[in-house]
Amino acid sequence: MMYILDKTSKKLEEISKTTFSEQSLKERYDLQEWIDDNPKVLWGALGEEILIIQKEFSGFDKTKERLDLLAIDKNGNLVLIENKLDDSGRDVTWQALKYASYCSSINKEEIVQIYQDYLDKKYPNQNKNASTELCEFFEREFGDISLNLGFNQRIILIAKEFRPEVTSAVLWLRTKNIDIQCIKFVPYILDDSKIIIDVDKIIPIPETEDYMIKLSQKGIEETTISSNINKKKEIYSEYWDKLLDSCKKEKLDLFQTRTTSKDSWISVGSAVQYKFVISNSSVRVELYISGKEKQDNKKIFDLLIQDKVDIENELGLKLSWERSDDYKASRIFITNDEIFKLDNKDSWDQAIEWQIEIMKRFEEVFKKRISVISNKF
């Protein structure tokens, strides 16, 4: 039951449960669209962010079957979402497992194209770029993003009610380390014009997780870092050690107290950061604006871009200006993709020399402006 509190009478009034069918709501044209338009409706139940990359996905070989929604999580795993409105039906688990098997062979390049097709259709006049959007979601360089590795595809089943044969199958599959979850969408009538949707994850819950641990006699461990990623982190650390040593020799005081990093970037600052970035085949210097409040970050960016012509003239450089309205952070940067290869250490010296020279100019040109802007906040 769900209740609403009347603050005047201080009494609880029952809100009537309904069904999607009674309200003439459809799986494809309503439930699917709600999640596509606002995936945050799932974030609370899941306890994490996911990114929708396609709907009505039909890119399966030799079959015309369609997956309701295809998403990706922060670990680069594909997330398959299957919607069933009022009743889960008996076969939804088998259907979802088929889709997971189909998706297991999709590679990174194909995922980017799937997402690009989705963006082109959903935002036809905005020229959104799938690779850029993925970098924003993961907060990493594109070359550092791993997608759909191994057999870690995840499944989310959504319905108002789940049949016992479905929940039984889901619980058993989870003991086999298959990440499959059940989320209830239950509608309640608030008044003639409004319906409340209660979103609640029923599997896994603490009771069922304890049950699964007893059945499997072991915990389910997450593997987040592969040996290749570990190796790359060591290479990053080696590069930053070399760059920071050069910063001391070149008297770039900005980075004098900075220690090394195993990420693809290294920075100093807080709300506004001076950042060095490397990828597999390019180096970058940027001003990264990422304070606590999104609106403040956009104001800082807007104030700086008013001086764009003067800034670029003083630097003697053409910069890229990314406000990134859909994300908290903004950035101003310049990239060189002609002098660097991560796996070719002979290219490192030239790349480091270029980055330090550009960073010196960045500090000289931006420092005074940032100081003035900071006083306005």
Side-chain angles (χ1 to χ4, degrees):
M1 294 293 184
M2 183 173 287
Y3 298 86
I4 189 169
L5 175 65
D6 186 319
K7 292 179 67 176
T8 302
S9 65
K10 295 187 177 180
K11 292 184 178 181
L12 293 175
E13 298 177 3
E14 183 180 338
I15 303 176
S16 299
K17 187 184 291 188
T18 184
T19 67
F20 291 108
S21 298
E22 287 173 356
Q23 303 304 317
S24 300
L25 296 169
K26 305 296 183 183
E27 174 189 315
R28 179 176 180 183
Y29 299 106
D30 294 301
L31 179 55
Q32 179 175 292
E33 294 302 316
W34 300 337
I35 299 170
D36 181 43
D37 288 339
N38 185 14
K40 290 182 180 179
V41 299
L42 291 179
W43 293 1
L46 294 173
E48 62 178 305
E49 296 181 25
I50 60 172
L51 178 70
I52 304 295
I53 62 170
Q54 190 54 271
K55 65 179 180 180
E56 291 293 312
F57 178 60
S58 60
F60 305 133
D61 188 28
K62 298 179 182 179
T63 175
K64 294 182 180 180
E65 293 177 287
R66 290 176 178 268
L67 170 66
D68 292 336
L69 292 166
L70 184 63
I72 202 156
D73 69 15
K74 287 285 190 176
N75 289 322
N77 300 317
L78 287 181
V79 182
L80 292 72
I81 304 171
E82 191 63 22
N83 306 314
K84 290 299 177 185
L85 273 190
D86 292 316
D87 188 316
S88 64
R90 293 186 178 91
D91 300 324
V92 64
T93 314
W94 166 238
Q95 182 182 13
L97 287 172
K98 284 193 299 180
Y99 293 159
S101 71
Y102 299 155
C103 288
S104 65
S105 62
I106 300 175
N107 61 36
K108 181 176 180 179
E109 182 179 0
E110 290 168 333
I111 290 171
V112 173
Q113 187 57 57
I114 288 166
Y115 188 30
Q116 187 63 60
D117 293 341
Y118 169 83
L119 292 173
D120 291 344
K121 187 173 182 179
K122 188 171 183 179
Y123 307 101
N125 300 314
Q126 297 188 29
N127 295 321
K128 287 183 176 284
N129 180 272
S131 298
T132 301
E133 296 293 318
L134 288 169
C135 290
E136 292 285 356
F137 177 70
F138 287 102
E139 297 182 333
R140 294 183 216 158
E141 291 295 304
F142 185 73
D144 297 332
I145 298 172
S146 298
L147 299 177
N148 201 31
L149 294 180
F151 298 96
N152 297 313
Q153 295 75 35
R154 301 172 57 187
I155 298 169
I156 297 173
L157 307 179
I158 296 174
K160 176 179 173 288
E161 299 291 344
F162 287 90
R163 296 194 184 192
E165 53 264 56
V166 172
T167 55
S168 176
V170 167
L171 289 173
W172 184 83
L173 287 166
R174 288 187 64 83
T175 69
K176 305 304 178 184
N177 292 353
I178 295 176
D179 191 340
I180 179 168
Q181 305 182 51
C182 295
I183 296 179
K184 277 190 172 183
F185 273 46
V186 183
Y188 292 83
I189 299 175
L190 182 60
D191 55 40
D192 292 339
S193 62
K194 292 182 180 178
I195 294 175
I196 292 175
I197 306 295
D198 182 25
V199 180
D200 186 25
K201 181 170 68 173
I202 64 166
I203 299 176
I205 57 176
E207 292 81 2
T208 60
E209 287 182 318
D210 290 341
Y211 169 70
M212 287 185 289
I213 290 170
K214 289 177 182 178
L215 285 179
S216 62
Q217 298 181 343
K218 63 179 179 179
I220 299 175
E221 298 180 350
E222 292 185 352
T223 303
T224 58
I225 302 176
S226 69
S227 59
N228 287 337
I229 292 176
N230 279 330
K231 183 178 180 181
K232 183 170 279 191
K233 286 180 178 293
E234 294 302 321
I235 295 174
Y236 289 155
S237 180
E238 185 179 350
Y239 180 87
W240 296 129
D241 283 338
K242 191 174 180 67
L243 179 138
L244 291 173
D245 185 56
S246 294
C247 285
K248 293 176 182 178
K249 293 176 181 177
E250 296 296 326
K251 301 191 184 308
L252 180 56
D253 295 336
L254 195 60
F255 281 80
Q256 289 299 310
T257 60
R258 185 64 169 88
T259 56
T260 193
S261 167
K262 291 190 175 183
D263 293 314
S264 62
W265 52 268
I266 192 168
S267 66
V268 294
S270 52
V272 180
Q273 302 172 22
Y274 295 90
K275 183 182 285 191
F276 291 120
V277 184
I278 55 176
S279 68
N280 287 334
S281 59
S282 67
V283 286
R284 191 166 81 227
V285 173
E286 69 180 31
L287 195 73
Y288 190 68
I289 308 167
S290 183
K292 292 182 179 180
E293 299 297 331
K294 175 181 176 180
Q295 61 183 12
D296 290 343
N297 297 332
K298 304 312 169 189
K299 287 178 183 177
I300 292 171
F301 180 90
D302 291 341
L303 288 168
L304 286 171
I305 203 170
Q306 289 177 8
D307 263 359
K308 178 181 178 181
V309 174
D310 289 341
I311 287 172
E312 291 185 346
N313 284 340
E314 290 175 36
L315 285 169
L317 302 167
K318 280 289 184 183
L319 304 179
S320 295
W321 300 72
E322 287 187 359
R323 195 175 192 272
S324 301
D325 293 340
D326 294 335
Y327 298 92
K328 185 176 78 170
S330 297
R331 56 163 59 92
I332 304 165
F333 64 93
I334 182 168
T335 302
N336 190 325
D337 56 7
E338 297 179 351
I339 61 172
F340 177 73
K341 295 291 182 184
L342 185 63
D343 58 2
N344 179 11
K345 294 184 180 181
D346 291 339
S347 70
W348 287 12
D349 286 340
Q350 186 178 2
I352 288 170
E353 182 181 351
W354 181 87
Q355 283 188 298
I356 290 176
E357 172 59 29
I358 299 301
M359 186 60 78
K360 285 180 177 179
R361 296 195 218 174
F362 262 52
E363 183 184 14
E364 181 181 354
V365 171
F366 282 111
K367 187 174 183 179
K368 55 188 176 184
R369 288 180 168 88
I370 292 170
S371 178
V372 172
I373 290 171
S374 296
N375 293 332
K376 295 183 179 181
F377 285 83

